[in-house]
């Protein structure tokens, strides 16, 4: 995270994630009896995408903003790759942490290329290298530099703007990214597409990402792990999506998961309905095509695998959760049509 | 002698006076912009302070210009100094107020995004907030200019520069040869200057506002 190796950041290989540790993190605002965030301990492995999910006002955004010190903690410590974040100069620190917000926050008076180039320019990259990086990032998020680089944010659609927001956060190839409900302001269809693209991107980049949302479906879809937060940012459960779905730690998590509805749906459908990829390795845990999704999930959790074999094909957890969502959508349509 | 003849025969004198008029207005607005935008930047997010700044500059505007210039003579003497100080004072309100309003109108998400990606507070102000508030601030500067072009004519009372000398001279000798022509030529000159300044601001606005804000 030092400036000396800033030149190395634009390698095509890219900087992968670094570990984030929060220890006893607390934020107390003057004049308020209760702390907004109380004594949070969290260890995020390098390269993992961790979703903070919880109701509004639970302190999830406050917790996230303490990591790049937009909010200064009252006590506790934060380490990224073992380095004490609170000992760094905040502006320097933030130049090495990608940041995406719900309002996107592209600067309307700057072109797309200028918006993406801000952080590399702050880091004093040579002009040519900045231009190359901008082109590379536009390609990465699926936009054509010759068409979009010289346009202004207001000339783009909401979905395109959000892609630029992500590209800007990735500009200096930071090991860590913070994302505050980044897809929250887009329509449902665009949101699904942005989520899919983002997952594909993250598989390639392996950044360490803290992703804040109040949408549990989004958390399931995107998270390597999910931290379900309750008031004062207390961690009710911190686990993989599969484990949280199968074994909610308590009533609170269960209610947040949507409790029975989702679990029932898991029991209503069979894995045979999912089209798996052929060529399952022999050592993969398997279930029969007639097994319910619930049973399949149990096997995944029990064997600590995010994939299982069904009749020789591979079914992943992502496909399983997609099937639940699809079933959910069908149910809703039928309910609407019935009225 | 008709007005046209008067203007033709005294063109050198009149154009010199007009040039001085432009100079004193431009100088005053320039100084007022530096001070006014500075005050706006320092106070826009402190409602009490910006209230005081706007109150003081609007209070200043209520002082009759004739009286104020007269009061300046014993302190600042005759000529440019008194004129410029008075004109700067009269320019303050629109500039300070529009700077405060313009900066407050910038979406908080812009500031958060700027800080969040590692720009310093000063960097965000210079590169994000001021450019976004600029169209509003420029409108304030334009209103100030229009106001003090008229007021600058009164500066002739303290032997200040500009077209006011023609007007005062003419009015003092009303009834004598060319007195009316002098007063009319001075007044007409002020009106023409006001129009030219407005045109100038249209061009400036076009050149200094990002295309991204106009789309």
């Amino acid at each position: 995270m030092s400036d000396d190796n800033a030149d190395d950041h634009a390698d095509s290989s890219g900087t992968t994630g670094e570990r984030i540790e929060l220890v006893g993190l607390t934020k107390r605002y003057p004049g308020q009896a209760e702390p907004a965030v109380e004594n949070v301990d969290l260890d995020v492995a390098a390269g993992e995408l961790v979703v903070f999910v919880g109701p509004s006002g639970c302190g999830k955004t406050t917790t996230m903003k303490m990591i790049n010190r937009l909010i200064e903690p009252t006590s506790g410590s934060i380490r990224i790759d073992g380095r004490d974040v609170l000992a760094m100069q905040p502006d320097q620190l933030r130049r090495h942490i990608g940041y995406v917000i719900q309002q996107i926050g592209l600067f309307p008076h700057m072109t797309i290329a200028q918006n993406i180039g801000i952080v590399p320019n702050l880091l004093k990259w040579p002009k040519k290298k900045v231009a190359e990086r901008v082109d590379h990032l536009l390609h990465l998020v699926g936009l054509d530099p010759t068409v979009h680089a010289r346009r202004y944010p207001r000339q783009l659609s909401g979905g395109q703007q959000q892609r630029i927001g992500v590209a800007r956060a990735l500009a200096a190839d930071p090991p860590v990214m913070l994302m505050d409900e980044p897809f929250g302001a887009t329509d449902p269809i665009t949101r699904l597409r942005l989520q899919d693209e983002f997952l594909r991107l993250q598989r390639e980049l392996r950044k360490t990402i803290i992703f804040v949302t109040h949408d549990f479906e989004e958390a399931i879809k995107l998270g390597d792990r999910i931290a379900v937060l309750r008031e004062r940012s207390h961690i009710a459960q911190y686990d993989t999506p599969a484990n949280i779905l199968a074994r909610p730690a308590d009533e609170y998590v269960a209610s947040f998961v949507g409790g029975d509805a989702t679990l029932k749906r898991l029991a209503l459908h069979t894995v045979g309905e999912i089209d798996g990829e052929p060529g399952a390795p022999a050592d993969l845990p398997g279930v029969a095509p007639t097994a319910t999704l619930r049973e399949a999930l149990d096997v995944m959790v029990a064997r600590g695998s995010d994939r299982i074999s069904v009749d020789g094909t591979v079914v992943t957890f992502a496909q399983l959760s997609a099937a639940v969502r699809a079933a959910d959508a069908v149910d809703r349509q039928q309910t609407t049509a019935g009225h | 002698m008709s007005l046209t003849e008067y203007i033709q025969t005294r063109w050198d004198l009149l154009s010199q006076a007009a040039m001085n008029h432009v100079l004193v207005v431009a100088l005053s607005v320039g100084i007022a912009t530096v001070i006014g935008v500075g005050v706006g930047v320092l106070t826009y997010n402190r409602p009490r302070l910006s209230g005081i700044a706007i109150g003081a500059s609007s209070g200043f505007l209520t002082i009759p210009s004739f009286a104020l210039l007269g009061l300046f003579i014993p302190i600042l003497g005759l000529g440019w100094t008194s004129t410029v100080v008075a004109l700067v004072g009269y320019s303050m309100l629109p500039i300070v107020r529009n700077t405060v309003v313009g900066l407050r109108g910038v979406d908080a998400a812009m500031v958060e995004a700027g800080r969040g990606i590692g720009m310093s507070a000063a960097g965000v102000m210079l590169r994000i907030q001021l450019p976004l508030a600029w169209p509003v601030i420029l409108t304030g500067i334009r209103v100030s200019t229009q106001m003090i072009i008229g007021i600058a004519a009164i500066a002739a009372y303290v032997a200040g520069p500009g077209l006011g000398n023609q007007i005062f001279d003419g009015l003092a000798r009303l009834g004598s040869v060319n007195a009316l022509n002098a007063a009319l030529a001075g007044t007409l000159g002020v009106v023409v200057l006001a129009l030219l300044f407005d045109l100038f601001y249209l061009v400036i606005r076009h050149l200094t506002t990002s295309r991204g804000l106009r789309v």
Side-chain angles (χ1 to χ4, degrees):
Chain A
M1 276 212 175
S2 69
D3 257 356
D4 323 322
N5 59 14
D7 279 351
D8 304 331
H9 280 306
D11 288 353
S12 52
S13 58
T15 310
T16 52
E18 291 173 349
R19 180 180 175 195
I20 305 175
E21 297 157 274
L22 310 182
V23 182
L25 201 60
T26 299
K27 178 64 188 182
R28 200 180 285 276
Y29 286 104
Q32 282 179 12
E34 303 254 291
V37 171
E38 190 176 54
N39 207 20
V40 171
D41 294 311
L42 189 75
D43 196 337
V44 179
E48 280 206 342
L49 193 163
V50 169
V51 182
F52 287 1
V53 63
S56 50
C58 74
K60 54 190 190 296
T61 298
T62 307
T63 306
M64 188 199 76
K65 284 187 181 175
M66 283 194 275
I67 297 172
N68 69 354
R69 295 178 62 191
L70 281 177
I71 295 175
E72 291 287 349
T74 311
S75 60
S77 76
I78 304 165
R79 280 193 297 275
I80 296 179
D81 196 30
R83 281 167 301 216
D84 181 6
V85 159
L86 297 176
M88 296 181 199
Q89 205 280 327
D91 292 336
Q92 292 296 336
L93 167 75
R94 290 182 202 127
R95 287 170 198 177
H96 299 284
I97 298 180
Y99 189 55
V100 186
I101 57 177
Q102 180 178 354
Q103 307 90 324
I104 310 176
L106 295 182
F107 305 128
H109 59 301
M110 298 184 188
T111 62
I112 299 307
Q114 288 169 333
N115 265 286
I116 297 175
I118 292 174
V119 181
N121 279 321
L122 285 172
L123 294 172
K124 311 240 184 306
W125 288 16
K127 266 201 170 113
K128 190 163 164 280
K129 192 174 154 194
V130 176
E132 284 166 4
R133 181 72 184 159
V134 168
D135 271 18
H136 173 72
L137 284 165
L138 280 170
H139 279 303
L140 198 66
V141 298
L143 295 170
D144 182 356
T146 55
V147 177
H148 293 101
R150 303 187 63 177
R151 292 207 172 163
Y152 288 92
R154 285 180 193 165
Q155 294 171 309
L156 304 187
S157 70
Q160 289 173 327
Q161 290 189 24
Q162 194 49 269
R163 289 187 186 91
I164 303 299
V166 172
R168 183 174 68 180
L170 286 168
D173 200 17
V176 171
M177 303 240 298
L178 305 178
M179 308 182 80
D180 189 2
E181 305 213 23
F183 310 133
T186 46
D187 64 86
I189 294 168
T190 309
R191 179 196 286 223
L192 285 180
R193 212 169 53 221
L194 288 172
Q195 288 171 345
D196 290 337
E197 287 174 13
F198 176 66
L199 267 181
R200 179 179 52 74
L201 205 62
Q202 166 62 359
R203 257 181 230 122
E204 199 179 310
L205 301 174
R206 300 311 309 176
K207 304 288 183 190
T208 307
I209 299 175
I210 304 286
F211 189 109
V212 165
T213 183
H214 61 260
D215 178 356
F216 192 72
E217 300 269 317
E218 186 169 63
I220 298 256
K221 180 171 177 180
L222 299 180
D224 292 316
R225 274 170 217 283
I226 299 175
V228 182
L229 305 180
R230 61 171 96 226
E231 70 283 0
R232 279 169 281 146
S233 216
H234 283 173
I235 298 172
Q237 189 169 5
Y238 179 46
D239 214 328
T240 62
N243 278 339
I244 286 178
L245 274 182
R247 297 173 191 158
D250 56 20
E251 285 292 303
Y252 175 80
V253 177
S255 73
F256 215 83
V257 166
D260 295 346
T262 308
L263 290 178
K264 272 181 191 151
R265 204 161 284 125
L266 282 169
L268 283 175
H269 297 270
T270 64
V271 279
E273 296 168 33
I274 301 171
D275 295 322
E277 294 269 328
D283 58 343
L284 209 60
V287 292
T290 52
T292 64
L293 298 181
R294 175 69 209 251
E295 284 161 346
L297 180 63
D298 280 343
V299 172
M300 283 185 187
V301 170
R303 304 288 289 270
S305 167
D306 65 347
R307 45 184 51 211
I308 45 167
S309 105
V310 180
D311 246 3
T313 65
V314 180
V315 170
T316 64
F317 174 73
Q319 284 177 306
L320 203 140
S321 62
V324 173
R325 272 198 308 279
D328 188 40
V330 170
D331 285 358
R332 257 182 236 157
Q333 255 172 10
Q334 282 168 349
T335 319
T336 325
H339 285 294
Chain B
M1 197 185 273
S2 72
L3 180 59
T4 8
E5 281 169 339
Y6 178 82
I7 293 172
Q8 273 167 358
T9 53
R10 306 229 180 0
W11 182 250
D12 284 352
L13 183 74
L14 286 171
S15 59
Q16 185 63 43
M19 197 50 81
N20 281 334
H21 206 98
V22 168
L23 222 58
V24 80
V25 167
L27 180 66
S28 306
V29 168
I31 295 172
T33 299
V34 172
I35 300 174
V37 172
V39 169
V41 164
L42 292 175
T43 65
Y44 80 98
N45 57 1
R46 302 182 184 87
R48 252 177 63 97
L49 283 182
S50 52
I52 292 171
I54 290 172
S57 48
S58 80
F60 193 92
L61 255 188
T62 62
I63 306 172
S65 46
F66 207 72
L68 184 75
L69 285 163
L71 289 169
F72 276 170
I73 297 174
I75 312 165
L76 302 168
L78 295 170
W80 280 73
T81 316
S82 296
T83 311
V84 170
V85 171
L87 294 183
V88 167
Y90 286 121
S91 319
M92 291 302 280
L93 178 64
I95 298 176
V96 173
R97 196 183 49 197
N98 280 34
T99 304
V100 168
V101 169
L103 289 175
R104 280 188 192 155
V106 174
D107 187 354
M110 295 294 131
V111 180
E112 198 199 322
R115 295 292 281 154
I117 61 177
M119 298 174 85
S120 64
V124 170
M125 175 55 73
L126 280 176
R127 295 184 51 199
I128 312 292
Q129 291 169 278
L130 280 176
L132 290 177
W134 179 243
V136 180
I137 297 172
L138 189 64
T139 302
I141 298 172
R142 183 174 160 190
V143 170
S144 285
T145 309
Q146 295 299 321
M147 264 171 31
I148 67 165
I149 284 178
I151 297 175
I154 299 167
Y157 174 64
V158 290
L163 288 162
N165 291 303
Q166 285 287 318
I167 303 173
F168 270 74
D169 188 40
L171 293 179
R173 301 184 289 110
L174 215 54
S176 56
V177 179
N178 280 333
L180 187 62
N181 280 337
L184 281 178
T187 310
L188 199 66
V190 169
V191 172
V192 169
L193 285 188
L195 291 173
L196 288 177
F197 260 113
D198 228 29
L199 203 67
F200 169 75
Y201 278 114
L202 277 180
V203 175
I204 289 289
R205 187 191 171 90
H206 191 81
L207 291 178
T208 58
T209 307
S210 159
R211 211 160 60 77
L213 297 179
R214 285 185 264 124
V215 292

